Amino acid sequence: MIIKILGPGCTNCVNLERVTREAVADLGIAATIEKVTDYPTIAGFGVMSTPGLVVDGKVILSGRVPTAAHVRELLAPLAS
Amino acid sequence: MSIAERLRPTTATRRWAGLGAAAVVWTVLYAVNLPLWSWLVYDVVGLDPASRLGSGVHFFVYDSVKILLLLVGIIFLVTVLRSFMSVERTRALLGGRREGVGNVMAAGLGVVTPFCSCSAVPAFIGFVAAGVPVGVTLSFLIASPLVNEVAIALLFGLFGLGPTLLYVGAGLVIAIVAGYVLGRLKVERWIEPFVFETRLGGQVIDSTAGLTWDDRIQMGIEEVATILRKIWPYLLVGIGLGAAIHGWAPEDFFTRYAGAGNPFAVLIAVLIGIPLYSNAAGIMPLVEALHDNGLPMGTLLAFMMAVVALSLPELILLRRVLKPPLIATFVAVTGTGIVAVGYLFNAVLG
């Protein structure tokens, strides 16, 4: 699974990365987490409010920092 | 575990009962704030209400609690209400609008759409790439920080309905006119070319789609915590300065230099306000104290608008998509609007 965190490096993006790492560790899934800070690429995903969370090329969340529990719920079905 | 996770209710009854209880506690605290501090500061500690120290200390504690309560209540309400709007929905509403009508809609939507200025660049690209005219997009980007929910809340709490309506109306007019003027100037040549080359891929997901009431309440609580964590130093400094001005500044100190008698007061206030970076919450206690000291409302509103609408960090962000001539024009047009509004209010309010 390839997870991308979209955001120019603001506090929200750092927080999203933290909760995502937590969720991935909790679920025990193999995933690479990449940061995307480049604006054209972020906009190319159709994301207008950062931070954004992209899993295997698909945007699953944008505009807010979810809880680790929420990220777990989102990732669990995608991992299998 | 976050605050909201710990507070997460288990049933709908508990959720609404919890909210109701919070509203009652809030109302009681707001009602006892003034008598409680008057009693503590003047009767228990024994400070003289007429003395500088007495009125300064009283102002500091009373104002801190009042502003804190207003912020908690209003940020929570606004966040929950705004969770029904999203940048994605706003863009869909603005797509294909002509200038003029588009500018008016964009300014209005800028006020009600939840938007963080850290998203200014992706939103700008997203709007322009979807065919929203540049001037209309700029109306949105000007209105969003200028007509600020925290400022509305505090103005209403500290000065009442009149100044609040003036502020909202003026902010909307500035955003509409500035966006329209910038659109007329054919500013496309001053936008980084990559913006027009960006192709929107992927499906657009609505950032607020599928939220439950629990989610919205949770977002409200988180937002209150986030904003308070961010602004409390500004708030304390602002209230401290306010208290100092209240107790110690010579009666006519500010009115002599920045009062109605100085024709350049508004211009100077705006020029000072542009590089200053604070938020409405930090600036408002200061505005209240300066107003009590006799500064005219127009000058103060212009100062506040310059501080919240034009900030160096946001301009540096926008530089990624706007070339320097457009940044300069943006600041000049918006700044001129704010100055005009300041003079107008001073003239109207006398």
Side-chain angles (χ1 to χ4, degrees), chain B residues 324-345:
Chain B
L326 182 47
I327 300 261
T329 319
F330 176 83
V331 174
V333 171
T334 312
T336 309
I338 295 173
V339 170
V341 159
Y343 281 116
L344 184 70
F345 283 177

Side-chain angles (χ1 to χ4, degrees), chain A residues 8 10 12 37-51 57-64 67-69 72, chain B residues 2 5 87-88 91 115 118-119 121-123 125-127 194 198-205 207 211 218-219 317 320:
Chain A
C10 49
N12 285 345
T37 55
D38 158 66
Y39 285 119
T41 318
I42 294 176
F45 277 105
V47 167
M48 286 193 297
S49 14
T50 55
K58 205 164 160 268
V59 183
I60 57 166
L61 192 118
S62 87
R64 63 200 180 94
T67 58
R72 268 203 308 276
Chain B
S2 67
E5 265 176 278
V87 186
E88 289 76 15
R91 178 175 68 176
F115 186 71
C118 51
S119 292
V121 173
I125 301 173
F127 277 40
F194 82 83
T198 302
R199 289 284 155 267
L200 299 176
Q203 87 292 20
V204 175
I205 68 151
S207 46
L211 290 176
Q218 198 179 54
M219 282 163 71
L317 265 182
R320 304 287 292 271

Side-chain angles (χ1 to χ4, degrees), chain B residues 247-259:
Chain B
W248 282 274
E251 198 86 325
D252 62 342
F253 180 78
F254 289 100
T255 39
R256 198 173 340 134
Y257 294 105

Side-chain angles (χ1 to χ4, degrees), chain B residues 294-338:
Chain B
L295 282 204
M297 203 66 212
T299 311
L300 290 171
L301 276 181
F303 174 65
M304 187 196 78
M305 285 178 160
V307 172
V308 298
L310 297 167
S311 72
L312 217 47
E314 198 187 341
L315 295 176
I316 291 170
L317 265 182
L318 283 175
R319 170 65 194 93
R320 304 287 292 271
V321 282
L322 311 180
K323 291 182 181 168
L326 182 47
I327 300 261
T329 319
F330 176 83
V331 174
V333 171
T334 312
T336 309
I338 295 173

Side-chain angles (χ1 to χ4, degrees), chain B residues 172-183:
Chain B
L172 286 172
V173 170
I174 291 172
I176 293 165
V177 173
Y180 185 78
V181 169
L182 289 166

Side-chain angles (χ1 to χ4, degrees), chain B residues 8-329:
Chain B
R8 190 164 194 133
T10 42
T11 64
T13 328
R14 272 207 208 175
R15 175 214 306 152
W16 298 118
L19 266 189
V24 170
V25 170
W26 190 93
T27 313
V28 169
L29 285 177
Y30 197 83
V32 301
N33 187 23
L34 183 60
L36 179 72
W37 289 118
S38 298
W39 175 70
L40 271 178
V41 173
Y42 299 141
D43 296 340
V44 177
V45 182
L47 292 175
D48 180 4
S51 72
R52 285 171 175 181
L53 184 67
S55 71
V57 168
H58 183 267
F59 178 84
F60 184 81
V61 286
Y62 162 68
D63 230 43
S64 302
V65 174
K66 181 169 81 173
I67 289 178
L68 199 67
L69 283 171
L70 283 172
L71 283 173
V72 168
I74 286 154
I75 296 171
F76 178 78
L77 274 182
V78 167
T79 309
V80 172
L81 290 178
R82 271 188 173 174
S83 70
F84 291 93
M85 273 306 290
S86 68
V87 186
E88 289 76 15
R89 208 165 301 163
T90 292
R91 178 175 68 176
L93 286 170
L94 291 177
R97 295 280 164 193
R98 281 176 312 143
E99 286 172 314
V101 183
N103 294 97
V104 176
M105 282 184 65
L109 289 165
V111 177
V112 295
T113 309
F115 186 71
C116 156
S117 62
C118 51
S119 292
V121 173
F124 183 87
I125 301 173
F127 277 40
V128 173
V132 178
V134 174
V136 174
T137 306
L138 289 173
S139 276
F140 175 82
L141 288 181
I142 294 169
S144 186
L146 182 58
V147 185
N148 176 286
E149 75 280 11
V150 175
I152 293 177
L154 292 177
L155 266 177
F156 182 69
L158 302 175
F159 296 107
L161 189 60
T164 314
L165 290 179
L166 281 180
Y167 162 72
V168 174
L172 286 172
V173 170
I174 291 172
I176 293 165
V177 173
Y180 185 78
V181 169
L182 289 166
R184 292 284 95 187
L185 292 175
K186 301 280 167 244
V187 289
E188 281 77 4
R189 62 203 140 113
W190 290 330
I191 290 170
E192 297 292 345
F194 82 83
V195 173
F196 299 106
E197 287 153 15
T198 302
R199 289 284 155 267
L200 299 176
Q203 87 292 20
V204 175
I205 68 151
D206 191 323
S207 46
T208 56
L211 290 176
T212 62
W213 271 106
D214 282 342
D215 291 332
R216 296 180 203 278
I217 291 168
Q218 198 179 54
M219 282 163 71
I221 296 170
E222 291 283 356
E223 185 71 6
V224 168
T226 311
I227 293 191
L228 288 184
R229 247 198 313 265
K230 200 161 64 184
I231 66 175
W232 71 266
Y234 293 97
L235 205 57
L236 280 188
V237 170
I239 300 172
L241 278 175
I245 291 171
H246 222 80
W248 282 274
E251 198 86 325
D252 62 342
F253 180 78
F254 289 100
T255 39
R256 198 173 340 134
Y257 294 105
N262 183 350
F264 297 107
V266 175
L267 192 62
I268 294 166
V270 170
L271 289 179
I272 294 173
I274 292 174
L276 265 188
Y277 177 57
S278 174
N279 35 47
I283 219 75
M284 204 55 84
L286 204 58
V287 165
E288 187 194 13
L290 290 171
H291 183 257
D292 289 349
N293 253 266
L295 282 204
M297 203 66 212
T299 311
L300 290 171
L301 276 181
F303 174 65
M304 187 196 78
M305 285 178 160
V307 172
V308 298
L310 297 167
S311 72
L312 217 47
E314 198 187 341
L315 295 176
I316 291 170
L317 265 182
L318 283 175
R319 170 65 194 93
R320 304 287 292 271
V321 282
L322 311 180
K323 291 182 181 168
L326 182 47
I327 300 261
T329 319

